[in-house]
Amino acid sequence: MNEAAITLDGWYCLHDFRAIDWASWKLVSAEERTKAVDEFVQYLEKLNEAHVAKTGSHAFYSIIGQKADFMLMILRETPEELQELEAEFNKLAIADFTIPTYSYVSVVELSNYLAKDSDEDPYQNPHVRARLYPELPRTKYVCFYPMDKRREGNDNWYMLNMEERRELMRSHGLIGRSYAGKVKQYITGSVGLDDHEWGVTLFSDDMLQFKKIVYEMRFDEVSARYGEFGEFLVGNLLDNDKLVQFLTVNK
C-alpha cells in the first residue's frame, strides 16, 4: 500500500452559494426590504467580529453568471460553528428570498508533500499557522472550483509512490509561487466531507490572473494527467454599500 499524504488541518470551511428570487423580492414593500437588508448587514457584521478577533474569517462576493447571485465563504474553528451560522442565515428575512444553488464543506489543509523534516511542532510555526488559520483577503475578485485527482488506468494518482507524488507536487507548487503577489490561493480538503476531494479558492485584484494561473497549471503533469475539475464560479467583492445597491429594486 502506498504511503498516504499526512495533512495539517486548520479551520473548517463552508462555501455557501445562493441565488436571489428577484420576482418575489420585488413584491415586498420598500420598508420590508430595507429591514431585511439591515438585518443581513448586521449578520455580516457579526461574521466580521470573528474576522477581527482572528477566531475565524469570511469572504462575501457577488457571483457573475447564472450559477448563483452571491457567495459566503466562512471559516471557523469547529463544524458546529459553521452549522450554527448557516442556520442563523436561514432564519434571516432575506433568506426567504434566496435559493441555495451550491455549497461546499471542507477544511483548510496543508500536506506533507513539500514539507521539510523537522522536530518542530508545525502547528506552532507562525508561517504554517497563518496558512491554516488565514485572514481571507478583500481582493476585488474571487474564483472557486472543486477538484479531484484522477484514478483511472495508468493515470491513477493514488497508485504513485510518495516520492513520485512529492516531485510532481514540487513542480506544481513552483507555478503557484510564480503568481505570488498576483493571486492568493487557499486549498481546502474535502475527502469524506463533500463530493470532491479538494476545494480551491483564488483571490486577486485582476480577474485575468485566474485564467492565466489555471491555464498554465493545465500544462503541468499534475493537472494534465491527474487533475479533474468541477464547475468554476467567479465573482466581485461585496461590501455593505455594494450589497445595498445590489439588493435595491425600482418599482
Side-chain angles (χ1 to χ4, degrees):
M1 177 176 171
N2 284 326
E3 180 184 352
I6 298 172
T7 62
L8 301 176
D9 301 299
W11 278 336
Y12 288 89
C13 179
L14 171 65
H15 290 79
D16 191 345
F17 294 88
R18 307 272 177 146
I20 303 291
D21 181 355
W22 293 108
S24 298
W25 182 242
K26 291 175 184 176
L27 296 177
V28 179
S29 69
E31 181 180 358
E32 288 179 281
R33 287 199 302 269
T34 298
K35 288 176 62 176
V37 172
D38 288 345
E39 184 186 44
F40 191 12
V41 169
Q42 290 176 11
Y43 173 81
L44 294 171
E45 289 176 347
K46 176 182 175 180
L47 294 183
N48 199 53
E49 290 175 3
H51 183 86
V52 172
K54 301 187 185 305
T55 56
S57 192
H58 76 281
F60 185 41
Y61 284 77
S62 62
I63 298 298
I64 304 170
Q66 301 303 307
K67 295 173 184 174
D69 283 313
F70 67 83
M71 176 202 79
L72 263 172
M73 177 184 179
I74 304 175
L75 301 177
R76 285 297 183 273
E77 295 177 348
T78 67
E80 288 81 4
E81 289 174 276
L82 290 183
Q83 193 280 324
E84 289 168 5
L85 290 170
E86 182 183 7
E88 185 175 342
F89 175 85
N90 288 331
K91 296 171 186 176
L92 299 177
I94 192 69
D96 293 343
F97 304 95
T98 68
I99 303 166
T101 60
Y102 188 64
S103 67
Y104 205 79
V105 179
S106 53
V107 60
V108 181
E109 173 184 295
L110 293 175
S111 78
N112 67 337
Y113 284 133
L114 305 178
K116 297 179 180 178
D117 294 332
S118 173
D119 294 330
E120 177 190 10
D121 179 358
Y123 287 99
Q124 301 307 314
N125 183 310
H127 176 67
V128 171
R129 290 188 62 82
R131 294 178 66 186
L132 293 176
Y133 312 106
E135 181 178 330
L136 295 178
R138 298 293 187 259
T139 58
K140 293 170 64 176
Y141 308 109
V142 73
C143 172
F144 170 78
Y145 60 94
M147 66 168 295
D148 302 291
K149 287 293 196 300
R150 187 168 294 126
R151 294 180 293 169
E152 297 179 359
N154 293 326
D155 295 332
N156 188 329
W157 176 258
Y158 296 95
M159 293 301 292
L160 300 177
N161 64 48
M162 172 60 80
E163 288 308 312
E164 289 177 296
R165 283 177 281 138
R166 180 173 283 129
E167 179 58 28
L168 287 168
M169 289 302 295
R170 188 194 72 81
S171 172
H172 195 66
L174 290 175
I175 297 174
R177 284 196 286 276
S178 72
Y179 283 82
K182 299 176 183 177
V183 177
K184 208 58 165 156
Q185 176 178 273
Y186 297 93
I187 306 297
T188 53
S190 47
V191 176
L193 302 180
D194 217 308
D195 296 336
H196 296 272
E197 296 174 333
W198 292 275
V200 180
T201 311
L202 308 176
F203 294 86
S204 181
D205 285 320
D206 178 3
M207 187 173 285
L208 284 177
Q209 296 303 321
F210 301 149
K211 178 175 179 290
K212 293 177 184 297
I213 188 174
V214 173
Y215 184 62
E216 185 173 351
M217 283 187 166
R218 289 289 169 95
F219 289 91
D220 182 73
E221 189 173 0
V222 168
S223 294
R225 287 191 64 185
Y226 302 104
E228 294 186 340
F229 300 84
E231 290 189 320
F232 283 70
L233 299 102
V234 296
N236 306 302
L237 181 66
L238 271 178
D239 57 23
N240 289 350
D241 290 338
K242 290 180 180 177
L243 174 62
V244 172
Q245 182 181 2
F246 179 68
L247 292 173
T248 297
V249 296
N250 296 318
K251 291 181 60 176

